[in-house]
């Protein structure tokens, strides 16, 4: 495993009486101890005004890094080295899958157009602005070894947000619109950033022509849609297998194991096919929660729900610890050989581009969305726009991992400039997470409490009335006698233009109930287990 190679210390201590490497055991004990400390400290600071679990883990990782440096007398230790394989293959998949598995689908798809607009088009806008800004500013700073590919990679790297701090503050029940938009945009944004980064890597920039931009767009769309289709197909396959074979009659362990393995398999298949594993495993989680989860026994439903959430929580905490410790890898700072002024200039440029790129699409796209909202109560207010903008200012492990992937082993960029890009990225991640993250709770609390009335789209449950209108019109206009067949089509098209989200949701539910659930199961398909509450009820009926 890459992790075992990454955590071996410089002075290997091999105990002859054990087949295990002593340094590996020490490193694992250190990380598990830190994880326990993060859980305890996070619980104690649950009600704290300025702190949250992600900041706690990051600061604890920094403090541990200082201790390791002091013990090793300033020498670099492999325990502090960030490993992209560990992050992308082992830590990120359970986090993204749980996000899709636990998402409130009604709110997510109700605001799907806004989420897609911010997560895809907004990320592309930010990508273009950051890339262009880096190209203009770095020449003045004195960094000249970066090529076009490097600048575009920086745009993709800095476009990946980390909205964990904001989501820990927002309440899903009190502000469902804000929570679903911030949450959904965060997942789609990470996927879009990685897809953009992979698209940049796949292009040949030695021969640039007018078709390069179209090729980049085509590669992006291909990766985006094929990754989504693969995730949906894997989720449907798991639902069909569990519904058809019904493992629960013999062993509930098998159906839980199959769900976990097929979820991870979807991610690995996407990476094997050079697609976006994040998009694949996210939509696999959504499909599994809609179909597969309802096909397993009652005990397995409880088990999977808590197991996925627990694994995601541990992975997330581990990542922040990992990033905090990696920030003090002394070799990177020595390799950059940049003065303090140059390092501050590059980091400040990165931070300014992040702020400008984020503001450029959040406020402009929000106003575009408002142009198509007829009712005043359904528009995205300025305070909501501010919270959405603020939620995307933090940068996290995806940014660090992409930075390492681009600049750790590169031949096109000088070693000093590559190390400078990595260290500057780490500075931006630390500053945005600690400073912006600590301000998030009081800031959002002040913005929401100052306007205590119900949030905009949080109270837009009038979709049920629209559904009744759709149902009424679908049966035909009662005022028409005789030829009333063309009327439903015209009414459906008119309603689709006026209420696209509600209309699509209504007809999707009809299609789902008629064609999908009889094949793949879902809500209403209750497995029979003799002796279980469900089984006992069936036996008495």
């Amino acid at each position: 495993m890459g992790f075992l190679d990454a955590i071996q210390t410089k002075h290997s201590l091999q105990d002859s009486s054990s087949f295990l490497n002593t340094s590996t055991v020490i490193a694992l004990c250190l990380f598990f101890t830190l994880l326990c400390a993060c859980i305890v400290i996070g619980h104690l600071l649950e009600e704290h005004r300025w702190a949250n679990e992600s900041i706690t883990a990051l600061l604890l990782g920094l403090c541990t890094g200082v201790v390791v440096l002091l013990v090793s007398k300033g020498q670099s230790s492999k325990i502090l080295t960030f490993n992209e394989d560990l992050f992308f293959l082992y830590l990120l998949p359970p986090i993204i899958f749980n996000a899709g598995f636990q998402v409130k689908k009604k709110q997510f798809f109700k605001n799907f157009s806004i989420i897609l607009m911010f997560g895809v088009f907004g990320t592309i806008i930010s990508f273009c602005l950051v890339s262009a800004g880096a190209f203009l500013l770095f020449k003045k700073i004195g960094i000249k070894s970066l090529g076009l590919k490097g600048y575009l990679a920086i745009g993709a790297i800095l476009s990946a947000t980390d909205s964990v701090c904001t989501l820990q503050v927002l309440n899903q029940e009190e502000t469902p619109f804000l929570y679903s938009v911030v949450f959904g945009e965060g997942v789609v944004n990470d996927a879009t950033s990685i897809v953009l980064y992979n698209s940049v890597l796949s292009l040949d920039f030695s021969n640039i022509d007018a078709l390069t931009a179209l090729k980049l767009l085509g590669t992006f769309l291909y990766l985006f849609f094929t990754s989504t289709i693969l995730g949906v197909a894997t989720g449907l396959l798991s639902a069909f297998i569990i519904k058809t074979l019904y493992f629960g009659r013999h062993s509930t362990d098998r159906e839980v194991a199959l769900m976990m393995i097929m979820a991870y398999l979807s991610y690995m298949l996407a990476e094997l096919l050079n697609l976006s594993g994040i998009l694949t495993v996210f939509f696999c989680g959504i499909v599994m929660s809609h179909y597969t989860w309802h096909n397993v026994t009652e005990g397995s439903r409880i088990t999977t729900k808590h197991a996925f959430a627990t694994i995601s929580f541990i992975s997330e905490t581990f990542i922040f610890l990992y990033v905090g410790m990696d920030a003090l890898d002394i070799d990177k700072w020595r390799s950059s050989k940049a003065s303090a002024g140059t390092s501050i200039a590059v980091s400040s440029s990165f931070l300014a581009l992040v702020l400008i790129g984020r503001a450029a699409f959040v406020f402009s796209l929000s106003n575009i969305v408002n142009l198509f909202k007829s009712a005043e109560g359904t528009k995205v207010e300025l305070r909501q726009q501010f919270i959405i903008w603020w939620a995307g200012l933090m940068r996290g492990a995806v940014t660090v991992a992409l930075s390492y992937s681009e600049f750790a082993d590169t031949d096109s960029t000088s070693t000093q400039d590559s190390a400078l890009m990595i260290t500057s990225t780490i500075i931006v991640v630390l500053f945005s997470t600690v400073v912006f993250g600590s301000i998030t709770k009081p800031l959002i609390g002040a913005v929401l409490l100052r306007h205590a009335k119900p949030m905009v789209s949080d109270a837009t449950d009038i979709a049920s009335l629209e559904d009744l209108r759709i149902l009424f019109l679908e049966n035909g206009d009662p005022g028409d006698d005789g030829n009333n067949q063309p009327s439903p089509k015209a009414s459906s098209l008119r309603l689709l233009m006026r209420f696209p989200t509600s209309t699509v949701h209504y007809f999707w539910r009809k299609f789902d109930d008629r064609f999908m659930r009889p094949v793949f199961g879902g809500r209403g398909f209750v497995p029979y287990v003799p002796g279980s509450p469900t089984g006992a009820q069936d036996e008495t009926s």
Side-chain angles (χ1 to χ4, degrees), residues 8 28 50-51 60 87 103 105 116 127 191 205 235 252 275-276 280-281 296 311 333 364 406 414 433 483 496 500 507:
Q8 289 181 354
L28 289 173
W50 301 97
L60 194 57
F87 173 74
V103 67
K105 295 181 288 295
L116 208 61
F127 162 75
F205 289 92
T252 58
L275 302 176
S276 172
T280 299
V281 78
V296 300
I311 296 173
W333 299 92
S364 59
E406 175 63 20
S414 68
T433 302
N483 298 327
L496 181 62
F507 285 108

Side-chain angles (χ1 to χ4, degrees), residues 158-173:
L158 292 180
S159 295
T161 65
D162 191 337
S163 54
V164 172
C165 293
T166 307
L167 291 175
Q168 290 176 352
V169 177
L170 292 176
N171 188 299
Q172 192 168 184
E173 303 299 331

Side-chain angles (χ1 to χ4, degrees), residues 185-203:
E185 189 234 338
V187 176
V188 177
N189 165 272
D190 284 345
T192 305
S193 300
I194 295 177
V195 169
L196 280 172
Y197 177 75
N198 291 332
S199 302
V200 169
L201 294 184
S202 65
L203 292 180

Side-chain angles (χ1 to χ4, degrees), residues 234-262:
T234 308
L236 290 176
L237 180 61
S238 69
F240 180 78
I241 291 174
I242 290 180
K243 176 180 182 295
T244 305
L245 300 181
Y246 184 38
F247 295 90
R249 63 188 173 191
H250 297 305
S251 171
T252 58
D253 296 337
R254 290 192 180 98
E255 57 186 6
V256 174
L258 187 66
M259 286 184 68
M260 291 183 173
I261 293 172
M262 291 199 69

Side-chain angles (χ1 to χ4, degrees), residues 106 109-113 373 463 466-467 495-496 498-506:
K106 181 179 180 180
F109 287 105
K110 181 180 179 181
N111 302 303
F112 189 67
S113 58
K373 300 288 186 180
E466 297 167 15
D467 287 345
L495 284 170
L496 181 62
R498 289 189 60 190
F499 310 107
T501 304
S502 300
T503 308
V504 170
H505 179 260
Y506 173 75

